[in-house]
Amino acid sequence: MISKEQKEKILQAHIEFELKKVQSQNLEKTIQIETEEYLNFFLTKKPNQVLPKEKLKEFVKIKIKEIKLEQKSVLFIQKLIRLHLTEITKDPSKINSVLNKESFFALANDSIGLKELRTRIIHFAVNSKAYSRMISSIILASIKDFMINENPLAKNPLAGSFFKMGENFLNNLPGMQGNFDKKAEEFIQANLSGRIQQSEKLINGELDSGKANEILEEFWNFLSEISFQDIPTLVPEKEFFQFLDRIPGFWIHVQNSGLMENWILSSIEIIYNEFENKTYSEILEESGISKEFVSKEISLALFKTLDNDTIREYYKQRLEARLKEFYSLEWDNI
């Protein structure tokens, strides 16, 4: 029969044995061995063997309904962002020092090249009531400028003896009934359809002709003058955080609509259907990632994280708690 004192000695020896493996001089090797063993086991398995599709979908259905974004969480996110912005906006560097012009132009031109989508967006924009009002206002302002500033009568000193110029002159025109702006704007809006179609063709024609590069060049020149220190001016902190305040309400809407749940569940279905007959090793190979690369990167990341006396102290406490439970058993009954 093993005495209580002997059990205590074996317990301490066991703990010391485990702790020795995670000391700085041994930790890297320990992690490499464990990572290799895990990958040798895991990569031979297929997705359904590790996490069955139906279980994953059931988990998603439950968790999507449970996840809540509290205002406290938003305030915490705001605090982190504010700390980062404070640091970033100390940097006098120009934005174009981290943004490559060639890559910017390539991405922008690729976006412009999405012709079907672009055409639909432009069609929606120029046929909207807001666009019609904007164009009407611009045309009306131009007409008024011309009639007031360019009309020969307006330049004739004697004209004042016949009628008062400026706004009064326009309002006194036949049929205006003292309301030139309203009447003229109504007429312009009622007769805009042809001009709007013309503007739609013009915009698409400009983009298709390659002239969009002129706009991109101007935008790039604008970006090149902006530094990280200018960010608070371009995006005032108050407005930015007001936007973040809306996130919990937006999330509740998305959650209740079922949209997010459907997207995730359909993604799971697509991925499992595509890869359910392949091992994770085959999936990795198809993605162009080698087992050696994964093993190396995981080992390095774990070593950098776990080579820490605070972590070792926590590990020691957990070892003692778990192993004491075993060593306190009556071994004669095992």
Side-chain angles (χ1 to χ4, degrees), residues 77 85 127-128 158 160 165 193 208 212 219 239 254 302 331:
I77 292 169
L85 282 176
N127 285 279
S128 69
L158 298 176
M165 303 305 294
S193 59
D208 287 334
F219 187 62
E239 292 179 13
V254 171
L302 287 173
W331 288 4

Side-chain angles (χ1 to χ4, degrees), residues 134-146:
M134 179 184 72
I135 294 296
S136 299
S137 297
I138 292 170
I139 294 173
L140 177 60
S142 300
I143 291 171
K144 288 173 67 177
D145 287 344
F146 174 78

Side-chain angles (χ1 to χ4, degrees), residues 12 16 25 66 78 83 149 200 241 267 295-296 312:
Q12 292 307 317
E16 289 302 316
Q25 64 273 24
E66 288 182 352
Q78 288 181 355
L83 291 172
N149 299 319
E200 186 175 349
F241 289 122
S267 295
S295 177
K296 179 183 175 183
R312 274 187 277 270

Side-chain angles (χ1 to χ4, degrees), residues 25-268:
Q25 64 273 24
N26 301 320
L27 181 60
E28 191 170 5
K29 184 179 178 182
T30 299
I31 289 174
Q32 285 175 349
I33 291 171
E34 293 301 324
T35 302
E36 283 290 330
E37 289 299 320
Y38 172 75
L39 290 176
N40 287 338
F41 168 80
F42 176 77
L43 293 180
T44 60
K45 301 295 181 282
K46 296 177 181 178
N48 262 319
Q49 292 175 302
V50 176
L51 181 56
K53 179 175 65 177
E54 294 309 318
K55 280 192 175 181
L56 178 57
K57 290 172 76 172
E58 193 59 38
F59 174 79
V60 168
K61 287 178 184 177
I62 295 170
K63 290 303 169 186
I64 282 287
K65 291 179 175 64
E66 288 182 352
I67 295 173
K68 291 183 180 178
L69 287 178
E70 303 290 349
Q71 196 59 37
K72 273 190 174 182
S73 304
V74 175
L75 291 173
F76 182 72
I77 292 169
Q78 288 181 355
K79 180 179 180 180
L80 293 179
I81 292 174
R82 189 175 279 110
L83 291 172
H84 280 81
L85 282 176
T86 301
E87 195 60 33
I88 290 170
T89 51
K90 290 178 184 176
D91 190 344
S93 304
K94 301 284 186 183
I95 289 178
N96 66 353
S97 66
V98 295
L99 184 64
N100 178 275
K101 182 178 180 179
E102 289 71 26
S103 299
F104 167 76
F105 267 68
L107 182 61
N109 279 310
D110 285 345
S111 300
I112 292 169
L114 298 171
K115 192 168 181 177
E116 183 63 30
L117 176 62
R118 186 196 74 201
T119 302
R120 286 172 180 264
I121 291 172
I122 291 172
H123 178 78
F124 167 76
V126 300
N127 285 279
S128 69
K129 290 182 180 179
Y131 184 80
S132 176
R133 286 195 302 270
M134 179 184 72
I135 294 296
S136 299
S137 297
I138 292 170
I139 294 173
L140 177 60
S142 300
I143 291 171
K144 288 173 67 177
D145 287 344
F146 174 78
M147 295 188 74
I148 293 173
N149 299 319
E150 299 298 328
N151 192 302
L153 288 174
K155 296 179 178 180
N156 189 334
L158 298 176
S161 63
F162 296 102
F163 44 76
K164 187 180 177 183
M165 303 305 294
E167 291 291 335
N168 286 346
F169 167 66
L170 296 176
N171 286 323
N172 285 327
L173 288 173
M176 291 300 111
Q177 288 85 43
N179 198 342
F180 175 82
D181 283 12
K182 184 169 184 277
K183 292 284 184 181
E185 197 161 0
E186 285 174 356
F187 173 81
I188 292 168
Q189 286 192 28
N191 293 273
L192 258 184
S193 59
R195 298 303 178 196
I196 284 177
Q197 289 175 16
Q198 188 179 15
S199 72
E200 186 175 349
K201 289 178 182 177
L202 178 64
I203 294 169
N204 279 306
E206 289 287 303
L207 294 176
D208 287 334
S209 68
K211 291 181 181 178
N213 278 339
E214 294 178 18
I215 300 171
L216 294 178
E217 189 70 45
E218 290 176 4
F219 187 62
W220 176 259
N221 291 336
F222 166 72
L223 280 180
S224 67
E225 295 303 315
I226 298 174
S227 71
F228 290 102
Q229 291 176 332
D230 296 325
I231 291 175
T233 305
L234 296 171
V235 187
E237 186 179 280
K238 182 180 177 182
E239 292 179 13
F240 180 69
F241 289 122
Q242 189 176 18
F243 167 77
L244 290 180
D245 286 336
R246 303 279 185 253
I247 291 176
F250 175 73
W251 169 249
I252 290 171
H253 172 73
V254 171
Q255 198 175 37
N256 292 338
S257 71
L259 182 64
M260 185 68 71
E261 181 180 327
N262 290 336
W263 277 356
I264 295 174
L265 292 178
S266 63
S267 295
I268 292 170

